[in-house]
Amino acid sequence: MLWLSLYFPALALEVFTRGSTDTGPMAVYETLANRSRVIVRNRAAKQLGIELGMSSAAAQALAHELKLFARNQGAEDRTLSEIAAWAGQFTPTVSLLHPAALLLEIEGSLTYFGGFQAFLQRVRSHAAKLGFHSRIGIAPTPLGSYLFAKNNQPPALSANQFRQLLSNLALDALDLPEATLNGLKQLGLRRFHDCLDLPRAGLTRRFGQLLPDYLDRILGVLPDPRPPFIAAAEFHAALELPSEVDDKEALLFAANRLLQQLAGFLSGRGGATQTLLFWLKGAHESLALPLRLINPNRNAEHFLRLLRERLEHTELPEPIRSIALDVTDIQALAFESRTLFSEHQQSAAQAIEPLLERLSARLGSAAVHGLKTSADHRPEFAHHDCAPAQAGAVQALPPRPIWLLTKPQVLATRNDQPCLDGVLQILRGPERIESGWWDGGLARDYYVANNSHGARLWIFRERKSGAWYWHGLFA
């Protein structure tokens, strides 16, 4: 087996900052035993002299412009689970390693993605789009890959290479209790291979069974089963902003982080969606921004273009503090079969889809719809609204006007001939329609006629009363 570990050294800070382009000094502090200390800081804070372990008060006094965040362990756990759902696009075997790492079993995925180098490049490029700084470690065991990621070790693709790299790893790199680590150093041990040279019985007697078992799990001598992460059936993710934002470009930058997560989530499920719901949350109000697509999709760039259209024509009620994205409409992604020798040609419906989606994003989904025929001969009931570009069977009928009057208009007559700006010239007809006996019924003879201005009208004569009506206008 071959394992890849994704380690996020700055996760405690990035849960607050990844949705922003702000490069100012920022740090996260943690309070333990009534003492707060800095546990993560960015490069700008480091340049100002902010050190790990420094008290939060001292850090704030040293740099007044420093943004300090209290550690949010719950947000870190949720974010790690969201990244795990995103990582399902690379392998079905993903495990959480708290507080800030994922374990992926990748041996079965390498061929599918075009080999090791192509796979590694894909993981790196996709991870960068999420807004997290990550380190990657690769080894034949889960713990080995994690140690390599945490300590910037090169990939180990074979057992011999793994043993060699592991042997030279400093003991400080291992996740050992401080007392155990100090005890090993007192024995003069400095590197991993020093522990392996000691008699196992003496090592167990001095430090207990946990230490040799830990070493054996790293080596793969002992089994190290990892519980698989099971992604939720729906997508829900949120992103806190480090400060209030009223600039729409800044909001799009943050939203793109969530869309990249969504794309990975959908890819891992072999799915797509037609409906996205963004929530922009301020101090007092939340603004819902739904997006509706013509066909299922999972392309993050496509989603972002539609969101840009929607956001440009939306007024923000107040500065935004956080963004959330909910997607509950998960569908199987349908792939089109293409012919072997001819080039793929878009249908007319496919060609117009981008325009329809942009109009829906700009005007709202309620403002854009299509028309679909119904199995009813009565013109008033022969069609109904439907989703844009929704396909439907078209009845073979005589020509019908594009525009129907909401209510047929009574026409005057002259010598029993219908008139509208003069006597109408009958061009075609009659077309008799008798239907609807179950709810009152109608009996009409329809004609196509021209008026004196050359407009082509659709008129009918009631068979019972003999009255003439204007019902539609041809384009």
Side-chain angles (χ1 to χ4, degrees), residues 43-354:
R43 181 177 300 178
K46 182 179 180 180
Q47 291 173 346
L48 292 176
I50 308 300
E51 298 293 340
L52 300 182
M54 178 183 288
S55 71
S56 58
Q60 195 72 75
L62 183 62
H64 295 292
E65 66 271 38
L66 177 69
K67 287 184 180 179
L68 266 178
F69 303 95
R71 186 178 189 182
N72 188 334
Q73 189 69 59
E76 293 174 42
D77 293 342
R78 287 192 300 273
T79 301
L80 193 63
S81 294
E82 291 171 6
I83 304 173
W86 162 88
Q89 65 185 300
F90 303 113
T91 172
T93 308
V94 179
S95 297
L96 302 176
L97 186 59
H98 291 287
L102 298 178
L103 300 173
L104 287 67
E105 200 290 302
I106 63 170
E107 188 167 359
S109 302
L110 299 183
T111 301
Y112 177 81
F113 287 100
F116 173 75
Q117 290 299 332
F119 177 82
L120 190 59
Q121 177 59 35
R122 189 180 184 91
V123 174
R124 290 188 193 279
S125 63
H126 281 55
K129 294 177 182 178
L130 295 181
F132 298 105
H133 171 61
S134 62
R135 298 178 191 165
I136 291 179
I138 296 174
T141 68
L143 278 178
S145 69
Y146 169 66
L147 291 176
F148 280 13
K150 191 176 180 182
N151 297 282
N152 283 318
Q153 295 297 303
L157 303 182
S158 67
N160 290 337
Q161 189 180 19
F162 176 51
R163 280 269 185 170
Q164 183 179 0
L165 292 170
L166 191 59
S167 294
N168 294 320
L169 202 62
L171 289 183
D172 289 327
L174 304 181
D175 288 334
L176 293 173
E178 187 175 354
T180 301
L181 190 59
N182 291 334
L184 292 171
K185 289 181 178 180
Q186 289 173 4
L187 294 176
L189 310 181
R190 294 293 181 268
R191 301 200 172 274
F192 189 88
H193 67 80
D194 295 333
C195 296
L196 301 183
D197 292 338
L198 291 178
R200 184 56 61 92
L203 193 66
T204 303
R205 191 164 50 250
R206 189 178 184 98
F207 297 101
Q209 190 62 43
L210 292 179
L211 176 59
D213 286 352
Y214 172 66
L215 299 177
D216 284 342
R217 285 199 303 275
I218 294 174
L219 291 166
V221 175
L222 277 181
D224 189 15
R226 293 286 164 174
F229 172 80
I230 307 299
E234 300 175 347
F235 182 88
H236 302 281
L239 190 152
E240 296 290 331
L241 302 176
S243 57
E244 291 185 336
V245 171
D246 56 10
D247 179 69
K248 292 181 179 179
E249 281 300 321
L251 290 176
L252 286 169
F253 177 87
N256 187 44
R257 303 297 198 194
L258 297 179
L259 291 174
Q260 296 295 335
Q261 277 182 231
L262 173 63
F265 171 85
L266 293 173
S267 181
R269 299 177 64 89
T273 186
Q274 284 182 268
T275 308
L276 296 83
L277 179 59
F278 279 93
W279 291 97
L280 306 184
K281 301 180 181 180
H284 307 98
E285 296 184 46
S286 293
L287 176 65
L289 289 181
L291 295 180
R292 177 74 182 177
L293 283 73
I294 302 299
N295 284 312
N297 202 315
R298 65 179 182 214
N299 184 278
E301 287 70 28
H302 184 69
F303 296 153
L304 186 63
R305 286 194 296 269
L306 296 181
L307 179 61
R308 183 184 298 276
E309 287 280 354
R310 186 64 187 272
L311 201 55
E312 284 179 354
H313 297 84
T314 299
E315 183 176 352
L316 300 177
E318 61 180 338
I320 303 304
R321 291 184 171 184
S322 67
I323 300 179
L325 174 59
D326 297 330
V327 177
T328 58
D329 171 36
I330 310 295
Q331 306 176 31
L333 182 62
F335 292 95
E336 284 192 6
S337 298
R338 300 187 180 184
T339 58
L340 181 60
F341 299 107
S342 62
E343 294 184 0
H344 176 66
Q345 299 292 328
Q346 279 190 321
S347 67
Q350 289 172 325
I352 203 173
E353 282 178 12

